[in-house]
Amino acid sequence: MTGDVDTIFANISEDIVWNMVGSNALKGKDAVKKEMEPMRGFETAHQTKQIITHGKTAVIEGTMAMEEEGVHKKYAFCDIYKLDKHKDGKIIEITAYLIEVE
């Protein structure tokens, strides 16, 4: 998988809040674009464990692996998405949990 940041940019609201638990929060689409642009084309291996949706909320749990400065790293993640409307909604908030695993 490659970093398809354009798909992400097309599906987030202008006033998105992206909470990275244990780190900083990004506020606004421009801040998200600035943070994610270096990931364009960055190769990762994702495995989705489960997706849960209810109304305007979705949760994705899984793992991802990547090479960082020549070192293979694996992470577990759980992302919680809030949408502005039920059908064809834009993401207005993300809470992202990410931990490195062996």
Side-chain angles (χ1 to χ4, degrees):
M1 173 178 258
T2 60
D4 183 5
V5 295
D6 292 325
T7 297
I8 294 168
F9 299 159
N11 288 288
I12 59 176
S13 69
E14 290 295 327
D15 58 348
I16 185 167
V17 175
W18 193 324
N19 301 300
M20 291 177 250
V21 176
S23 188
N24 59 333
L26 301 173
K27 295 181 180 178
K29 193 171 194 174
D30 290 339
V32 171
K33 283 182 173 183
K34 183 178 177 183
E35 182 78 14
M36 295 199 69
E37 190 59 42
M39 297 178 196
R40 182 179 297 281
F42 191 78
E43 299 222 8
T44 60
H46 283 81
Q47 182 176 30
T48 300
K49 185 173 181 180
Q50 62 180 325
I51 298 173
I52 302 168
T53 62
H54 181 73
K56 297 187 291 186
T57 303
V59 178
I60 301 174
E61 175 193 9
T63 59
M64 64 184 205
M66 65 183 79
E67 294 288 325
E68 292 184 62
E69 298 177 7
V71 177
H72 180 76
K73 293 190 176 186
K74 185 175 181 181
Y75 298 91
F77 68 88
C78 184
D79 295 338
I80 304 165
Y81 299 86
K82 291 185 180 179
L83 307 174
D84 61 354
K85 58 185 178 179
H86 180 70
K87 186 174 180 174
D88 298 324
K90 298 279 186 184
I91 301 167
I92 58 172
E93 184 177 338
I94 302 171
T95 300
Y97 296 86
L98 179 71
I99 59 170
E100 188 173 355
V101 295
E102 296 181 8

